[in-house]
Amino acid sequence: MLVVEVLLTLAFFLVKPSSSSQIIRRFSYNIERKNVKRLCHTKRLLTVGGKYPGPTIFVHEGDNVEVKVTNMSPWNTTIHWHGVRQLRSGWADGPAYITQCPIVPGGTYTYKFTIISQRGTLWWHAHLAWQRATVYGAFIIYPRMPYPFPSLVEAEIPIVFGEWWNGEIEDIETDMKLYGSGPNSSDAYTINGLPGPLYPCYNKDTFIRTIERGKTYLLRIINAALNDELFFAVANHTLTVVEIDAVYTKPFKTKAIMVAPGQTTNVLITANQVPDSTGMFVMAARPYLSSVFPFDNSTTIGFLKYSTPNLKITKTHVKSFTLPSNLPEMEDTPFATEFAEKLRSLGSPEYPCNVPKKIDKRVITTISLNLQDCPVNQTCKGFKNKKFYASMNNQSFVRPSISILECHYRNLSTTLFSSFPERPPHPFNYTGVDPLSENLNTEFSTRILVVPYGTRLEIVLQDTSFLNPENHPIHVHGHNFFIVGSGFGNYDVDCDPKYYNLIDPPERNTVAVPVGGWAAIRIVADNPGVWFIHCHLEEHTSWGLAMGLIVQSGQHPSQCLLPPPDDFPIC
């Protein structure tokens, strides 16, 4: 089976289109409900074609992609191609009411876009309500040129982390919004949809991959979990990081990685250890704890199983094992910080690091969790019987009932949107206030930052200690960005820019803002359209930790948004 997988992978990789390729990769997605059993519970999940997780998409750099999505579920839905830049094709980006109206039950919409100057590991997921809890999958882009690392890769193994709830995810989300409480924690983390033997009823629900001793493998790691950053390690093995968010990095060795929701990380692993009689090595993922809120205090594990001609392997047992000693503890912020500081863009002639050395605009935004006074005659179950919300510069984002992109494209006048404040409205000691006694009631609005085409934009993301400081994974749609600086405490506009890395900063689409700290990102706003910027902790996005970004069209036709497709959904 392994030989077949390797041959199929190599065959697909070697059939690369020329630079003038007009190859179209077509896929059909049926969004439908299906019974799935995990942890002794059978429940009807929202799936793509009955698969949980959903299917992996394989394409090549330069391909045109068409995905026909038919909604056979009872709910509205959309699909987002996470990390795909969608150059001039924002109609295919997917976040509901930002770039499109949802696909209604019984409706169909074909997402059409081109993979331009991107290669590596990305992913796709539903982008309405909490549907991405079960509707997600890997999106693999094979490069035109060979990988820029020397190791001969025997095979590539997608590792997709997720979460499983025994309860109905729709009910959990509804209760959270109705009562302003924190959501129920998941009942398990999963590896490729399988929880592993640390959970009940794990029989057949454990991911096991056979590898050959002496060979090197590429693990394509994706964190599709809703609400938790995760540490990952393989027992007795060293990982070599070579890519993050579909951008090559300067390779470095590490005992483990930290990957936030929305992020991807490619690592090389060489099967160079001496296995015991089972031939099994544990790989494990558990949460990076940076919050006082309830969380899923558990660990998902799978196995890499050695297969060698000269080693007699006994019958596989998964009951007897220990967690990897190289797996960081849940509160290991020093490891998370050290790991992030090691990430550097490759910066080679073939893959340059085009970080903006100068900027046209700097926006400073606080990232806050908020308590809102409970409305009269309502029951609120948040802290102190109030409602939990979240905000950026004290603005809690409200999704409109229409598509912002369509309003922008058609120049429709509306009072639904207003300008995003470019500075915090109330300067204070952001990370030094008492988390339980201090609070700002947030304002509710649809706030949008508008910039001209080509703007060299810097956004400083400042965590606050309202309720508690927390690591926030902030995702920017439609653009990659460079993380030029980060630190703990309050950002100092006079001092901190002096220490920016403007040589080889990491390039990503999702940044993990340090707990009780800040991160500065630089973007070249060269993709016309409307783009969502939000926390990829789903509970925080539901509470309003988001904003919109409009990049105006440029003067040349090639700098303008393309017209909407004929089958574009309407509200």
Side-chain angles (χ1 to χ4, degrees):
M1 182 64 180
L2 178 61
V3 174
V4 173
E5 290 174 347
V6 172
L7 290 176
L8 286 174
T9 299
L10 290 177
F12 191 85
F13 174 76
L14 292 173
V15 181
K16 298 189 289 290
S18 67
S19 59
S20 61
S21 168
Q22 294 299 315
I23 289 178
I24 301 177
R25 309 279 181 187
R26 291 187 173 92
F27 307 88
S28 292
Y29 274 17
N30 291 333
I31 309 296
E32 58 189 21
R33 301 175 78 191
K34 183 177 179 179
N35 286 339
V36 176
K37 185 176 183 179
R38 299 287 190 274
L39 311 187
C40 309
H41 286 74
T42 299
K43 53 186 290 190
R44 296 193 74 187
L45 300 185
L46 202 60
T47 68
V48 171
K51 293 184 178 181
Y52 168 72
T56 297
I57 283 184
F58 295 96
V59 299
H60 284 93
E61 183 181 354
D63 283 351
N64 296 307
V65 181
E66 296 184 3
V67 187
K68 181 180 179 181
V69 177
T70 301
N71 186 5
M72 303 171 65
S73 80
W75 303 290
N76 291 343
T77 194
T78 69
I79 299 292
H80 169 53
W81 316 97
H82 187 111
V84 176
R85 287 203 57 197
Q86 301 291 355
L87 287 169
R88 304 175 63 209
S89 58
W91 312 103
D93 193 44
Y97 303 108
I98 311 300
T99 60
Q100 72 166 93
C101 296
I103 308 170
V104 299
T108 297
Y109 178 47
T110 300
Y111 293 88
K112 297 180 180 180
F113 51 93
T114 302
I115 306 299
I116 301 175
S117 299
Q118 288 188 281
R119 77 292 301 169
T121 302
L122 295 173
W123 62 300
W124 60 266
H125 59 82
H127 212 305
L128 178 59
W130 280 32
Q131 293 177 3
R132 77 174 177 91
T134 58
V135 180
Y136 63 86
F139 191 100
I140 309 301
I141 307 170
Y142 286 102
R144 293 187 183 280
M145 298 188 294
Y147 296 133
F149 37 83
S151 299
L152 180 63
V153 175
E154 178 70 9
E156 303 176 0
I157 307 173
I159 302 289
V160 187
F161 302 133
E163 292 183 81
W164 170 272
W165 277 263
N166 288 331
E168 296 297 330
I169 197 71
E170 298 84 10
D171 294 340
I172 293 171
E173 181 192 13
T174 298
D175 287 349
M176 183 190 75
K177 290 183 175 181
L178 179 62
Y179 298 112
S181 56
N184 293 342
S185 300
S186 61
D187 295 284
Y189 300 109
T190 58
I191 297 177
N192 295 342
L194 303 173
L198 288 177
Y199 301 101
C201 303
Y202 68 87
N203 189 30
K204 296 183 180 181
D205 284 347
T206 300
F207 178 75
I208 302 174
R209 175 62 186 256
T210 300
I211 60 177
E212 294 185 52
R213 191 178 179 203
K215 303 291 186 179
T216 297
Y217 297 83
L218 181 68
L219 304 185
R220 297 181 177 271
I221 301 167
I222 301 167
N223 188 352
L226 259 68
N227 293 319
D228 287 294
E229 297 91 352
L230 295 169
F231 290 126
F232 172 77
V234 180
N236 299 352
H237 288 74
T238 298
L239 307 175
T240 301
V241 177
V242 294
E243 177 194 303
I244 53 173
D245 290 5
V247 178
Y248 295 130
T249 64
K250 288 181 173 65
F252 68 91
K253 296 184 182 298
T254 180
K255 69 174 185 177
I257 68 170
M258 195 282 278
V259 57
Q263 293 182 336
T264 71
T265 304
N266 281 10
V267 300
L268 297 174
I269 183 170
T270 300
N272 56 7
Q273 299 298 302
V274 178
D276 60 17
S277 60
T278 68
M280 308 280 271
F281 288 92
V282 176
M283 52 182 175
R286 68 179 170 203
Y288 165 40
L289 178 60
S290 65
S291 169
V292 298
F293 284 98
F295 70 104
D296 184 348
N297 184 3
S298 65
T299 302
T300 180
I301 68 171
F303 295 89
L304 294 180
K305 179 182 178 182
Y306 277 29
S307 175
T308 59
N310 300 322
L311 181 67
K312 183 177 180 181
I313 302 295
T314 61
K315 184 178 179 181
T316 298
H317 292 284
V318 297
K319 290 183 178 181
S320 300
F321 61 86
T322 57
L323 291 178
S325 60
N326 46 323
L327 182 66
E329 297 296 327
M330 286 189 297
E331 297 180 284
D332 198 342
T333 292
F335 174 83
T337 304
E338 180 184 2
F339 176 76
E341 290 175 346
K342 290 180 179 178
L343 298 171
R344 294 285 185 270
S345 288
L346 184 57
S348 68
E350 296 81 9
Y351 304 101
C353 179
N354 295 318
V355 56
K357 300 295 194 294
K358 297 181 179 180
I359 60 172
D360 302 309
K361 179 187 287 289
R362 174 182 285 133
V363 175
I364 299 176
T365 177
T366 53
I367 302 170
S368 299
L369 303 181
N370 301 73
L371 278 177
Q372 201 78 1
D373 294 333
C374 190
V376 178
N377 297 325
Q378 284 193 21
T379 300
C380 299
K381 297 182 179 180
F383 185 67
K384 294 183 176 180
N385 294 321
K386 296 186 177 185
K387 280 193 171 186
F388 287 125
Y389 284 99
S391 63
M392 299 181 73
N393 275 350
N394 215 48
Q395 302 295 320
S396 189
F397 189 85
V398 177
R399 292 181 191 241
S401 57
I402 55 178
S403 163
I404 301 176
L405 179 59
E406 189 166 13
C407 287
H408 167 67
Y409 178 78
R410 302 191 187 283
N411 292 317
L412 301 178
S413 66
T414 175
T415 59
L416 295 177
F417 318 133
S418 52
S419 297
F420 182 81
E422 298 180 12
R423 293 291 186 275
H426 307 287
F428 61 96
N429 182 2
Y430 306 113
T431 58
V433 298
D434 184 278
L436 298 182
S437 64
E438 301 285 346
N439 182 56
L440 286 174
N441 277 322
T442 185
E443 299 177 7
F444 299 92
S445 57
T446 305
R447 295 289 188 134
I448 301 172
L449 176 68
V450 181
V451 298
Y453 180 91
T455 298
R456 295 167 296 182
L457 174 65
E458 178 176 302
I459 301 178
V460 179
L461 301 158
Q462 173 69 63
D463 190 22
T464 69
S465 56
F466 288 154
L467 295 182
N468 71 276
E470 188 167 349
N471 188 295
H472 293 274
I474 302 298
H475 174 47
V476 178
H477 288 231
H479 297 79
N480 277 6
F481 52 75
F482 297 91
I483 307 171
V484 295
S486 64
F488 293 100
N490 299 323
Y491 175 77
D492 187 331
V493 70
D494 296 319
C495 180
D496 288 323
K498 298 176 183 178
Y499 301 97
Y500 281 177
N501 176 6
L502 299 180
I503 305 300
D504 59 354
E507 181 181 348
R508 311 204 72 144
N509 62 62
T510 304
V511 55
V513 178
V515 53
W518 57 272
I521 63 175
R522 287 192 174 180
I523 302 167
V524 178
D526 58 359
N527 193 6
V530 176
W531 308 105
F532 202 29
I533 300 176
H534 65 101
C535 184
H536 229 269
L537 301 177
E538 204 63 42
E539 59 184 335
H540 293 177
T541 299
S542 298
W543 289 337
L545 209 167
M547 61 180 283
L549 172 67
I550 289 182
V551 178
Q552 296 173 327
S553 290
Q555 296 181 351
H556 194 273
S558 65
Q559 299 171 342
C560 297
L561 180 68
L562 294 170
D566 293 336
D567 62 342
F568 189 65
I570 59 175
C571 292

